[in-house]
Each structure stands twice: as structure tokens, then as C-alpha cells.
Amino acid sequence: LPASKAMPKEMFPIVDKPAIQYIIEEAVASGINDIIIVTGRGKRAIEDHFDKCLELNHVLKEKEKNELIGELERIENLADIHYIRQKESLGLGHAILCAKKHIGNEPFAVMLGDDLVLSKKPCLKCLIDIFKLHNKSVIAVSELPTEQLHKYGIISYQNINNGLFIKDIIEKPRTKDAPSNLAILGRYVLKPEIFDILEKIPYGKGKELQLTDGLKILSDKDGMIAH
């Protein structure tokens, strides 16, 4: 705020395209072509960005700006994108539950528009490969300086066969209580069992359904890897 009062923060431009486009392109580059965007009130601009704009295409065609037309068509055809409206801001866990009917009993990825990860091999593809290798849910983590740990979910872990198996997740700990300097990044590959867990656990801080609470239970039951 105040920049996000009228414009969704996912639509903030990073160089020449909005943040959400980087997220979608990472998913596509990771082999995913069926994408759900969980939106909320005032985020219609996200849907418009990935939709056709016939008027704009017509103007560009008249001006013979074929390169721009090609780029817009590429954006419009990136993937099969579906939209689900989260009617109340009830937390990340609730947003994920909104997509349960569409996903069904399949593993799925979660990507948050807050975090951009630029790398030769997409971050999400790394998580998918690890998931296939171990058949365990996988979350991305990033090293942070000590003074920033209180802003994030921080993991404690055990290193087993060069894999970081999660022991616990502490949401926004005091600096002195942080079990490591590894913070959860906005990338997850999760088993569908997370849905049943999220439906049963109580709403937590701020009357929100916290994904972190569900991840702890899933980790205890089935094991979970940090990358």
C-alpha cells in the first residue's frame, strides 16, 4: 500500500511484464499447463491480462506492430487458466481449499505471486523432480539473514541422504527462537492429503486457515522435503 489499493500486487510490473506472468511462465516451463488462479475482489485485472483484447489487437494490426501482436498471442495461449474467486480473505489454506474440486485426488503445485524465482532450471521443476524421486511433498526454502527470519515460516530439518527432511515449521518466530535460517518460499508441491487436513484443522491467527498448520501435520504423517 498505497500502490496495491487499486491494482493487485500480482500485477505490479517487473521490467516489462506483471509479476503474475513470471509465475505462470515458470509453471509452464516446469511442464504444467492446467493452472488455477485463486483471485479475490478487485483482482479482475489478472483475468483480463491473460484474456484476448480484440480492440487492442485491432489497433496493433492497423499499426503493423506484428511483434507485439505475437507477444500478446503468446501470453493468451500460455496454458489452460481457470479462475476461482476466494470470496473472503481467509488465509492461504482456505485459498487452496477453494481449488479442491478442480484438483481432485492428484498431487499439485502451489505458487505465490509474492515470490519471483529466476533461474535457468525453474524452481518449480526442481520441486517436481524431487517429488517424483521421493514421493514426498516438497517445499522450496531460501536462506535469509537473521534480521528477516521473524517475517517468514522457518523450518527445522534433518539432513538425510543429502535431503532436507522437515522436522517442524515455525511461523514468524522471534529471532532467538528461529530453528534455522531457512525460510519457506512461495513454491510447494503437495500431496492431495493436504485437503483433508485443511478441512479438519481450526482457523488460526487472524481467523485465517493457515497452510503452515496443515503442512506440519502432513509432514508428521508422511514426511516432507525442503529444497
Side-chain angles (χ1 to χ4, degrees):
L1 289 169
S4 61
K5 181 182 178 183
M7 178 189 288
K9 61 183 178 180
E10 298 90 348
M11 290 299 295
F12 285 179
I14 310 295
V15 188
D16 61 347
K17 55 189 176 184
I20 187 71
Q21 187 175 327
Y22 289 92
I23 304 294
I24 300 299
E25 287 174 343
E26 181 185 332
V28 172
S30 301
I32 292 176
N33 55 27
D34 190 15
I35 296 171
I36 300 168
I37 299 180
V38 181
T39 67
R41 185 175 179 176
K43 297 196 175 188
R44 216 20 223 285
I46 296 175
E47 297 181 38
D48 290 341
H49 180 68
F50 294 103
D51 198 2
K52 280 186 178 294
C53 181
L54 298 178
E55 296 86 352
L56 178 58
N57 283 6
H58 179 70
V59 170
L60 293 175
K61 192 171 183 180
E62 282 189 337
K63 294 183 177 181
E64 297 184 352
K65 295 193 174 183
N66 296 323
E67 187 176 333
L68 283 175
I69 292 173
E71 175 61 13
L72 291 180
E73 289 178 345
R74 186 188 72 83
I75 295 169
E76 294 159 2
N77 296 298
L78 275 172
D80 292 328
I81 301 178
H82 316 268
Y83 299 91
I84 295 175
R85 178 74 71 96
Q86 186 185 23
K87 295 178 181 178
E88 294 183 77
S89 183
L90 296 175
L92 179 54
H94 180 266
I96 290 171
L97 270 182
C98 289
K100 178 184 177 182
K101 287 183 180 178
H102 184 96
I103 293 168
N105 194 35
E106 297 286 342
F108 63 100
V110 177
M111 309 175 74
L112 304 188
D114 304 76
D115 294 309
L116 301 184
V117 187
L118 306 181
S119 56
K120 289 183 179 179
K121 182 177 180 180
C123 175
L124 185 59
K125 182 67 168 71
C126 296
L127 302 193
I128 291 171
D129 289 345
I130 293 169
F131 179 90
K132 289 178 178 178
L133 184 64
H134 295 281
N135 194 31
K136 302 286 183 189
S137 295
V138 188
I139 64 175
V141 295
S142 178
E143 290 184 314
L144 285 185
T146 302
E147 63 270 18
Q148 292 187 24
L149 298 179
H150 69 282
K151 300 178 183 178
Y152 296 87
I154 308 299
I155 68 164
S156 64
Y157 61 90
Q158 186 175 5
N159 196 327
I160 303 174
N161 297 327
N162 293 321
L164 304 184
F165 282 77
I166 294 173
K167 294 168 63 178
D168 196 10
I169 303 171
I170 301 176
E171 185 65 29
K172 298 180 180 177
R174 293 182 298 178
T175 300
K176 66 178 183 178
D177 297 329
S180 73
N181 68 336
L182 294 180
I184 297 177
L185 201 59
R187 302 288 185 278
Y188 314 75
V189 175
L190 302 175
K191 288 188 172 183
E193 285 82 355
I194 191 67
F195 289 127
D196 290 336
I197 294 170
L198 291 173
E199 286 178 329
K200 293 174 182 175
I201 62 176
Y203 282 64
K205 187 177 180 181
K207 296 182 180 179
E208 292 186 345
L209 190 58
Q210 302 290 344
L211 176 61
T212 302
D213 295 339
L215 293 178
K216 288 182 183 181
I217 297 171
L218 182 60
S219 177
D220 290 342
K221 285 184 174 182
D222 190 60
M224 186 175 293
I225 298 172
H227 175 67

